[in-house]
Structures are given as C-alpha cells and as structure tokens.
Amino acid sequence: MGLSIGVVGATGAVGRKMIEILKERNLPVDSLRAFASQRSAGEKLDFKGQEITVELLTEEVMKDKFDYLLFSAGGGVSEKYAPIAAAAGNIVIDNSSQWRMTEGIPLVVPEVNPHTLKGYKGIIANPNCSTIQMMVALAPLHRRYGIKKIVVATYQAVSGSGHKAIVELESQLKDEAYPNQVYPKRIAGNCIPHIDVFNENGFTKEELKMVYETQKILEDNTIVVNATTVRIPVVYGHSESIYLEFKEAPQVAEVKQILENAPGVVVVDAPETNGYPTPLEIANTDDTYVGRIRKDLFDPTALSLWVVADNLRKGAATNAVQIIEVMEGMK
Amino acid sequence: MGLSIGVVGATGAVGRKMIEILKERNLPVDSLRAFASQRSAGEKLDFKGQEITVELLTEEVMKDKFDYLLFSAGGGVSEKYAPIAAAAGNIVIDNSSQWRMTEGIPLVVPEVNPHTLKGYKGIIANPNCSTIQMMVALAPLHRRYGIKKIVVATYQAVSGSGHKAIVELESQLKDEAYPNQVYPKRIAGNCIPHIDVFNENGFTKEELKMVYETQKILEDNTIVVNATTVRIPVVYGHSESIYLEFKEAPQVAEVKQILENAPGVVVVDAPETNGYPTPLEIANTDDTYVGRIRKDLFDPTALSLWVVADNLRKGAATNAVQIIEVMEGMK
C-alpha cells in the first residue's frame, strides 16, 4: 500500500539528504532502493532502522516498477537513465540541470507551480538551488505586482559543490597549504564569482539557470533577470541580495503580509533587533527566509530583499520530496 | 623642506596602515607625529627606523603646524578635533563619515575628482571604503556613457570593522564557543547583511553612504543607487557585484579599453583561464580590480561588473595618502 521509491546517486551529498528527508517526512515509504555507480555500489545505508545495500545503477534496474525515482547523480546520468526509467512508466524527479529547460518537462517548485504536475507522468525537473529559493520568495509578489526586472547577487555555500567542497573549505581553514581541488581558487577566506562554467556571453551557467528557470517557472518570458553568482566560505545555506522592479508599486507593509502568508516563506525582518536571516541560523531547515524588505530610495516600483535557504534541503532534496507529496495529494 | 604629517588614531587598523603607506610611498616626510586617546598614548611606533612615541590627542596639539593631518579615529573624534586643526590652518584628511556629506567639504577619490582639491585648505573627506573602489571603476564609464542606475551588492571583509573583528573571525574559526563581540551574529562560516546601523527606511548607513557619496563624487544627483552591503568571512579586500544602466549603450570591448586606460584600475577579465579578481589574490595592493565585465542579456544599456580592492589600502589609507600626493603635485 505504501510507496516504492528509488534514489539514484544515493551516496552523494544531495542523495543522502534525500534519504534523510524521506525519513523525516510523513510519506508512507514501503520500499526504498538506492542506486549508485560502481564506485559506491555495495555500500550500506540506513533507512528507518533498515539496512539498505546500494545497488549498481544499470539500464535494467531502471525498468523496475517505482512510484518515484529521485535522481541526483549529475547531468550525464540523468541524460542516459531518466528516459529509460520514464519509458518504463516511472515518475522521475531529476535534480540535475539536464531536463530543466526541455519543453514539456515540468520545472517545479511545489509552492509556486504545482499545477504543472496535474496528471503528469515522466520526467520532472527540480530547479537549480539558487532559483528555487528565489521563486518561493518572489512568486507571490509577482502575482500581486508583476515583476519586470530582477537583479540578483548570490552568496552561495560550498555544500552546493558536494561533500568534497566541504572537506576542501574545512581543510583549508586548518591548513594554509591544502590545495584547491574543487574550486579554481582558494575558497577559505575568499569569495569566488564563478559557479559552473562560463558561457561566451560572460555569464556563468549558474547565472543563466537563474534567468531562464525563473522565466519558465513563473511562465513569463518578459521577466528580465540579471544574476551574479558567487561562492563564499559558508558550508550550508545560500543567501541572495535581490533587487526588483515591478509593474505596480509595492508597499512594504503589504509585501510583508503577502510573504507572511506565502507557503514555505518565513519573514525575519526586524532590523532594530538584528532580525534578518543568515545562513548559519537557518541551516538544516526547510523554509525560505526573507528579510531586509525595503523600498528603493528613488524608484517607487522597486524593492530590495534578502533571501536565505538551506541549499541542500529546500534548494534540492526537500523540494524533490515535496514534489512527491504534491503528486500524492493530487491522487 | 620635507612634509610634517600627523596621524590621529595612529594605533587603529587604518591608522597603522596609513603610517605603513607613508613609509612605502615616495613622499618626503620630515616629521611624523602620531596621536591617539589616553588608552594608546605612550605606545611606540616605527617610522623608517625612527621610534615615534604616540602622543595624547588634545585640542592644543591640533593647533600645532602640520602640512597634513590624517584622521582615522571615528566620527566623534573627527567632529571635535578636525575643525580645531583646520582653524589653525592645517589640512585635515578625514577617514570618518563625519564630514563627507557637508557642503563645501571635498569628498575625494584622487583618480576621479582631484579638481576639488585645487587651492583648497581645511577638512577633506576620504570616502567610505566601498564607495572608493566603486568610484575608481565607474567614474570613467560614467564619463563615457552616463550612468543612470547602479544596483550593487557587496562582499565586505572583516578588517573594515577594525583589528578586533579580525581577531573575532580568526578566533571563531578555531573555537566554536568564541563569542560575537564586534558582530551581532557569528561571522565565521556565515554572511551578515548588516554593516553600520539601520536607518528607518530599511537601509543601513553603509548602504546610504554608497548612495549619497556616489552622487557627490560624480557630481550628479540624478544617478540612482541601490545598495545591499554584506559582511563575509574574508579578512582583507571588499568585492562588489555591480549592475549598471547607462544613458548610452556600452560595448564590452570599449568598456575594457576604457578601464584598462583608467588610473588606478587593473582589468582582470579572462574567464576561460579563471581570470577574475578575488580578495585573497589582491590583498595588500593599491589598485582597484575589475572583472566579469558583461552586457546584460536583455537591456542593451545595462552592464555587469565585479570590482575588488583592498579595503584598508585603497579603501582607506592609500586613498588618504594619495590625496596628499595630489595636493603636493598641484603646488
């Protein structure tokens, strides 16, 4: 009667987080299977007191029956195996960027566009971590005032680059000589305006994801987005400085009210008592936190915000598990 | 025949850096006197092999004859003592925010508005660290294309809060239990969108400095600035993600050429070889570094930049010493 779920890339930072969140939430999971490459197959994982042996990912096992397959093993694995699993009738929720911009594939933030899941079977894309938290905060404001322009600068945690990057930061903080392996430059005591690869237009792929995923999720190609994505020496939690221009002038009191009532949003905005979110304070939670809400000094249609969320949870694993919850709720 | 210079606040992070830079540069300093409060008076400093005893700051000593007095002891000290020194015929270069917005007081970035120093005597204001580096990079572009709007998000080093903040960051990195004394929240492994105090309009004073100092330095009150200033766990070097809208559409090749020829600017912009500036790489230098130069994807008049400089040097001490150099060059 319960759900059968498979996790592909189960031993990575996000895969492990997916299993952790499946444990925490109230989903009735009857069967959990874990898949990984040759390197990790055979490892043991715990799921609610049960020992799970990580299986080797093959085309054959993807044809087995699952209610949901959660993928987080990189674009190449998703490109190859997700269509096989979907062709076998499985619902795939893919955390890579592989299918996000493909027409017909829903790109889903459950608080924002759950309607795209209605009656859908096949591959579903989980958006980029930086995009998800921005969408949770901005979608309710877009509905009320109509967003024309977004200028965003990010402050991104190293856990977004996987477990190795956490080791790199922590090792460099202890040891001056520890080499740069994950990042092109030393991340300890530094900040690096370079996430994912550079495109010819001078933007990084991470920045372009924030542009085009936003347009797709908000279903509005007239929204203009300018992003600068930056890695900083924080372990968990991405922060975003967001400047917005709307069609209609927003009022701060109403903006706060809208956000306080918005699903998945927690407003932390009391400057007089240092009330604003920081990544260290909100790590290991599932909400998106918004503070520093203020009108621009010159343009009555412009507003600034500071948005923080746990990049491995809401920015990846939690969002994927919430997609299952929404689909189960629609049955 | 050489210069007599006094440094007020000589034992602070910026005061020490001022003395260091006076040593490095080719200024013919004959006499250096150092002043501080009761707490630090009597301390010994080295200046070119000569031992300097820090003198107690009093109204009387400010009436002595100096060619230049460099102040970096906080707004209260500048408010009280700078007018006394100026009334006695001394030129005061003040690093606090006390006099920056006062009409008739030049607010000077030597590469940008040296003309305001012509024939001037009295108090001269050194701009805010974040403003200085932004002005060095943007003024030449403003002259060519006319800036309409600036949206900036900063990544600021803890040394901007003085020596105690460096100790706080380094201690917290080693010791989970080390308390927050300088900052309202833990800075190690975190980022804090709160620099200086909050204004009623929701912006911090640091953010408002970037707005109004920019307008004053560029002598154009029609320039619209929206700033978010954020402290990150970096020791030396502020970084800035800057989005610009111009009156006239810029071309990237020309922008690079303008910046390469601009005084005090070093262009580091070769994404294919990880060529972009980071604070760790440029710390302890005097230039302002610009990278990530790219046109907006949608608005032909918009451009993004990444600007990094050493906040204690170009952002404070070097800029002040360069003001002396410009004034000496005008004689």
Side-chain angles (χ1 to χ4, degrees):
Chain A
M1 295 299 306
L3 299 173
S4 69
I5 292 181
V7 177
V8 176
T11 58
V14 172
R16 283 177 193 276
K17 195 60 82 175
M18 284 169 163
I19 293 171
E20 192 181 316
I21 289 164
L22 283 169
K23 283 184 215 173
E24 287 173 21
R25 316 277 293 200
N26 279 328
L27 279 171
V29 182
D30 259 9
S31 145
L32 182 85
R33 292 172 67 187
F35 303 97
S37 65
Q38 194 70 59
R39 199 163 36 104
S40 301
E43 280 185 30
K44 310 287 187 193
L45 299 173
D46 170 78
F47 184 70
K48 298 182 175 176
Q50 209 185 320
E51 189 182 79
I52 310 279
T53 301
V54 178
E55 301 173 55
L56 180 65
L57 176 64
T58 64
E59 296 188 17
E60 280 317 301
V61 293
M62 289 294 99
K63 294 174 187 164
D64 289 349
K65 271 279 154 238
F66 298 89
D67 290 304
Y68 300 97
L69 274 165
L70 298 171
F71 270 63
S72 187
V77 170
S78 294
E79 185 182 12
K80 179 170 177 189
Y81 292 97
I84 296 168
N90 293 314
I91 295 175
V92 173
I93 301 166
D94 178 29
N95 193 50
S96 83
S97 63
Q98 181 61 36
W99 302 100
R100 287 180 191 153
M101 295 312 297
T102 304
E103 224 185 298
I105 302 267
L107 181 64
V108 183
V109 180
E111 294 90 338
V112 176
N113 59 346
H115 63 274
T116 57
L117 295 170
K118 192 100 192 148
Y120 183 82
K121 292 206 74 167
I123 301 170
I124 297 158
N126 215 33
N128 178 47
C129 45
S130 309
T131 311
I132 290 175
Q133 68 185 70
M134 186 162 85
M135 291 302 94
V136 172
L138 299 195
L141 302 180
H142 178 55
R143 279 186 209 115
R144 172 65 183 85
Y145 306 111
I147 294 175
K148 281 169 61 183
K149 180 183 296 180
I150 302 171
V151 179
V152 56
T154 69
Y155 302 71
Q156 293 184 227
V158 298
S159 55
S161 314
H163 184 66
K164 274 185 195 165
I166 301 176
V167 171
E168 183 158 312
L169 170 58
E170 290 180 346
S171 302
Q172 289 184 343
L173 287 172
K174 285 179 204 134
D175 175 4
E176 279 289 332
Y178 194 92
N180 309 328
Q181 290 168 329
V182 175
Y183 297 116
K185 311 200 178 200
R186 190 175 175 86
I187 183 63
N190 207 8
C191 62
I192 306 177
H194 175 183
I195 299 181
D196 208 330
V197 298
F198 281 100
N199 187 294
E200 274 184 11
N201 58 19
F203 286 89
T204 61
K205 263 183 80 175
E206 183 84 356
E207 289 159 357
L208 296 175
K209 288 173 198 167
M210 293 190 78
V211 176
Y212 296 112
E213 292 181 19
T214 293
Q215 293 183 337
K216 179 166 177 175
I217 293 165
L218 296 181
E219 297 169 10
D220 186 343
N221 288 339
T222 70
I223 297 173
V224 159
V225 184
N226 181 291
T228 303
T229 57
V230 181
R231 193 74 67 185
I232 64 169
V234 162
V235 179
Y236 300 106
H238 289 354
S239 306
E240 298 175 344
S241 170
I242 301 177
Y243 165 88
L244 300 164
E245 290 175 12
F246 293 101
K247 290 175 187 158
E248 201 179 315
Q251 296 308 325
V252 167
E254 194 187 53
V255 166
K256 284 189 185 174
Q257 196 181 23
I258 290 168
L259 290 173
E260 275 161 4
N261 294 327
V265 175
V266 176
V267 174
V268 181
D269 196 11
E272 61 285 2
T273 52
N274 302 322
Y276 43 79
T278 69
L280 208 56
E281 292 169 292
I282 66 83
N284 215 27
T285 68
D286 289 315
D287 285 313
T288 296
Y289 298 80
V290 184
R292 303 286 332 266
I293 302 165
R294 60 208 194 274
K295 292 264 295 202
D296 186 64
L297 298 170
F298 304 95
D299 179 348
T301 76
L303 189 83
S304 293
L305 301 172
W306 174 255
V307 177
V308 189
D310 186 313
N311 54 301
L312 288 191
R313 294 182 69 98
K314 184 55 192 170
T318 299
N319 197 73
V321 173
Q322 286 171 329
I323 289 173
I324 300 180
E325 291 173 342
V326 169
M327 295 190 88
E328 287 300 298
M330 281 174 173
K331 276 186 181 167
Chain B
M1 293 302 305
L3 300 172
S4 70
I5 292 180
V7 177
V8 176
T11 57
V14 172
R16 283 177 193 277
K17 196 59 83 175
M18 285 168 164
I19 293 171
E20 192 181 317
I21 289 164
L22 284 169
K23 283 184 213 172
E24 287 173 21
R25 316 278 292 200
N26 279 327
L27 279 171
V29 183
D30 260 10
S31 145
L32 183 86
R33 291 172 68 187
F35 302 97
S37 65
Q38 194 70 60
R39 199 163 36 104
S40 301
E43 280 186 30
K44 310 287 187 191
L45 298 173
D46 169 77
F47 185 70
K48 298 181 175 177
Q50 210 185 320
E51 190 183 81
I52 310 278
T53 302
V54 178
E55 301 173 55
L56 180 65
L57 176 64
T58 63
E59 296 187 18
E60 280 316 302
V61 292
M62 290 293 99
K63 294 174 189 165
D64 289 349
K65 271 278 155 242
F66 298 89
D67 291 305
Y68 300 96
L69 274 165
L70 298 170
F71 270 64
S72 187
V77 170
S78 294
E79 185 183 11
K80 179 169 177 191
Y81 293 96
I84 296 167
N90 294 314
I91 294 175
V92 172
I93 301 166
D94 179 29
N95 193 51
S96 82
S97 64
Q98 181 61 36
W99 301 100
R100 287 180 192 153
M101 295 312 298
T102 303
E103 224 185 299
I105 302 267
L107 181 64
V108 183
V109 180
E111 294 91 337
V112 176
N113 58 346
H115 63 276
T116 57
L117 295 171
K118 192 101 191 146
Y120 183 82
K121 293 206 75 169
I123 301 170
I124 296 158
N126 214 33
N128 178 48
C129 46
S130 309
T131 311
I132 290 175
Q133 68 184 69
M134 186 162 85
M135 291 301 94
V136 173
L138 300 195
L141 302 179
H142 178 55
R143 279 185 210 115
R144 172 66 182 85
Y145 306 111
I147 293 175
K148 281 169 60 183
K149 180 184 295 179
I150 302 170
V151 180
V152 55
T154 69
Y155 302 70
Q156 294 185 227
V158 298
S159 55
S161 314
H163 183 67
K164 274 185 195 164
I166 301 176
V167 172
E168 182 157 313
L169 170 58
E170 291 179 346
S171 303
Q172 288 183 345
L173 287 173
K174 287 179 203 131
D175 176 4
E176 280 288 332
Y178 194 93
N180 309 329
Q181 290 168 330
V182 175
Y183 296 115
K185 311 201 179 197
R186 188 176 177 85
I187 184 62
N190 206 9
C191 64
I192 307 177
H194 175 184
I195 300 181
D196 208 330
V197 299
F198 281 100
N199 187 294
E200 274 184 11
N201 59 18
F203 286 89
T204 61
K205 262 183 81 175
E206 183 82 356
E207 289 159 357
L208 297 175
K209 288 173 199 167
M210 293 190 79
V211 176
Y212 297 112
E213 293 182 18
T214 293
Q215 293 183 338
K216 180 166 177 174
I217 294 165
L218 296 181
E219 297 169 10
D220 187 343
N221 287 338
T222 69
I223 296 173
V224 159
V225 185
N226 181 291
T228 303
T229 57
V230 181
R231 193 74 66 185
I232 64 169
V234 162
V235 179
Y236 300 106
H238 289 355
S239 307
E240 298 176 345
S241 169
I242 301 178
Y243 165 89
L244 300 164
E245 290 176 12
F246 294 100
K247 289 174 188 159
E248 202 179 315
Q251 296 309 323
V252 166
E254 194 187 53
V255 166
K256 284 188 184 174
Q257 197 181 23
I258 290 168
L259 290 173
E260 275 161 4
N261 294 326
V265 176
V266 175
V267 174
V268 181
D269 195 11
E272 60 286 2
T273 53
N274 302 322
Y276 43 79
T278 68
L280 208 55
E281 292 170 292
I282 66 84
N284 215 27
T285 68
D286 288 315
D287 286 313
T288 295
Y289 297 80
V290 184
R292 302 286 334 263
I293 301 165
R294 59 206 194 275
K295 293 264 296 201
D296 186 65
L297 298 170
F298 304 94
D299 179 348
T301 75
L303 189 83
S304 294
L305 301 172
W306 175 255
V307 177
V308 189
D310 186 313
N311 54 301
L312 289 191
R313 294 181 69 98
K314 184 54 193 171
T318 299
N319 197 73
V321 173
Q322 286 171 328
I323 289 174
I324 299 180
E325 291 173 342
V326 168
M327 295 190 89
E328 286 301 296
M330 282 174 171
K331 277 187 179 166

